[in-house]
Amino acid sequence: MRVLGIETSCDETAVAVYDSKKGLLSHALYSQVALHAEYGGVVPELASRDHVCKVIGLIEQAMTDSCSTPKDITGIAYTAGPGLVGALLVGATVGQSIGFAWGLPTVGVHHMEGHLLAPMLEPDPPAYPFVALLVSGGHTMLVNVASFGNYEVIGESVDDAVGEAFDKTAKLLGLGYPGGAALSVLAQRGDPKRFHFPRPMINRAGLEFSFSGLKTSAANHIVGKTLDEQTRADIARAFQDAAVETLVIKCRRALKLTGLKTLVVAGGVGANVVLREQLRQMVADEGGAVFFPRHEFCTDNGAMIAYVGCQRLLAGEHGDLAIKVSARWALDALSSFL
Ligand code: KG4
Ligand code: ZN
């Protein structure tokens, strides 16, 4: 089976071709970051309009790069949620239209399932079952993944997502938007001993997260102050250390509670090198293994959507002709294939 996957849930237009026998054949992406930067966040209407402008060109590019003609494609996958409704509708409409025109089955994919299974695109993929840490701009979740499609959310943020806290702190530090990656670069020059921010909710049992207190601690050191370069770096360092340590503690706890030894990390914050390093050490201590997608597949991409779509189509799932998307969609509501 060869699937064309389309991702338009937020501010990246991305397309890929995945083949069940040959693996990932091509992927193409256009980031709208520059378009939204001057507003300090994603403007939904601008996002939708830009997806309309870019999606067809990217489909042509992914088809050419994978040396595919329409006859080679056997299914279409598109992100059907969660995300911005207008943005999702662009990918869903284009995906359904191509499916109808080419006479192919289509499937709407859950964006977070895409992130969750992105490590499956690597040469040495994890085996089920595993615990997944999903850390993006909109979500912070621990998921018990029993098998493909069988997901139990075992911990979530009660307020801000960790990526959102990174982005808001970065914005206050004048690092632009989304500034998570820039904050981690600035943190490299920071003194780890100068400031200490709270590690939220680590003393409470369970796997819930909270990042708004940490964000406020950082904001209290920034807002209304004139900061020199070293102080900015020290604040970035203290913020990142607190966020990373919190995530590592909860991941260790999730492995212990589930009795599982494999951890999978996915989502944009999974690109953070300090988080990767500390999770590697923690999992090694626990005698387990940790799997990450390559950096470009941590953030939004079409490859993860084509991959999941291909697995779902192979399992016999496909949609009707309705163009349906959901801004909110619970991960544990997905159909499972045990
Ligand atoms: O998964 P993603 O591309 O989009 C969502 O679905 O949200 O994640 C984007 C998030 C942003 O908050 C961004 O600042 C963060 O991932 N991010 C990072 C790093 N690279 C991206 N956060 C911390 N360190 C990084 N290196
Ligand atoms: Zn995402």
Side-chain angles (χ1 to χ4, degrees):
M1 167 149 257
R2 188 174 291 189
V3 173
L4 176 72
I6 304 167
E7 155 65 37
T8 63
S9 67
C10 190
D11 58 349
E12 257 102 30
T13 322
V15 178
V17 175
Y18 180 87
D19 186 289
S20 53
K21 293 213 172 70
K22 296 181 178 160
L24 185 65
L25 299 182
S26 66
H27 61 103
L29 179 141
Y30 175 82
S31 171
Q32 302 177 353
V33 160
L35 173 71
H36 301 291
E38 66 173 294
Y39 304 99
V42 178
V43 182
E45 182 58 23
L46 293 184
S48 314
R49 283 190 233 159
D50 207 45
H51 286 308
V52 172
C53 296
K54 300 295 181 336
V55 69
I56 300 295
L58 288 169
I59 290 171
E60 285 168 350
Q61 188 187 330
M63 290 290 288
T64 307
D65 291 352
S66 65
C67 300
S68 303
T69 66
K71 282 202 195 78
D72 299 316
I73 302 294
T74 51
I76 308 285
Y78 58 88
T79 306
L84 303 170
V85 166
L88 288 165
L89 278 170
V90 177
T93 308
V94 169
Q96 287 287 46
S97 305
I98 294 176
F100 182 67
W102 294 355
L104 299 175
T106 62
V107 64
V109 170
H110 192 296
H111 181 81
M112 301 313 288
E113 184 179 35
H115 277 303
L116 198 72
L117 300 185
M120 297 298 185
L121 292 159
E122 300 307 318
D124 175 27
Y128 299 105
F130 53 78
V131 170
L133 172 70
L134 277 179
V135 274
S136 71
H139 295 85
T140 306
M141 277 183 188
L142 279 161
V143 186
N144 186 341
V145 179
S147 61
F148 174 65
N150 205 322
Y151 313 122
E152 183 197 355
V153 177
I154 53 176
E156 245 180 312
S157 177
V158 297
D159 42 52
D160 292 9
V162 63
E164 192 181 346
F166 262 93
D167 291 341
K168 287 180 177 165
T169 306
K171 196 168 164 182
L172 292 177
L173 287 168
L175 295 170
Y177 182 90
L183 186 148
S184 73
V185 171
L186 181 63
Q188 285 169 7
R189 301 196 294 274
D191 173 358
K193 300 215 173 72
R194 171 116 179 254
F195 300 110
H196 183 85
F197 293 155
R199 273 63 174 153
M201 297 184 92
I202 54 169
N203 296 323
R204 242 191 261 177
L207 298 171
E208 303 301 303
F209 301 90
S210 162
F211 289 102
S212 74
L214 171 58
K215 181 190 70 186
T216 307
S217 295
N220 289 340
H221 283 75
I222 305 168
V223 179
K225 306 224 160 78
T226 312
L227 304 176
D228 58 46
E229 189 54 23
Q230 188 57 48
T231 305
R232 290 172 70 245
D234 295 343
I235 294 170
R237 177 65 190 257
F239 172 86
Q240 178 172 269
D241 284 354
V244 166
E245 196 183 330
T246 307
L247 293 171
V248 173
I249 289 170
K250 294 290 162 96
C251 285
R252 190 194 291 269
R253 213 178 267 177
L255 290 176
K256 284 196 192 306
L257 282 171
T258 56
L260 294 171
K261 290 281 179 210
T262 307
L263 178 70
V264 162
V265 183
V269 184
N272 186 285
V273 285
V274 178
L275 177 66
R276 285 178 174 242
E277 190 41 44
Q278 296 203 12
L279 284 174
R280 269 197 198 99
Q281 279 174 23
M282 180 278 286
V283 171
D285 274 1
E286 297 293 324
V290 61
F291 293 82
F292 303 95
R294 71 193 81 162
H295 279 260
E296 63 184 322
F297 294 161
C298 281
T299 45
D300 290 350
N301 65 84
M304 64 187 193
I305 302 305
Y307 172 81
V308 169
C310 184
Q311 306 313 310
R312 288 199 166 266
L313 288 165
L314 283 172
E317 185 176 319
H318 60 84
D320 53 21
L321 285 176
I323 295 171
K324 241 174 64 191
V325 298
S326 314
R328 293 171 152 271
W329 184 1
L331 197 51
D332 22 27
L334 289 173
S335 45
S336 60
F337 305 93
L338 263 181

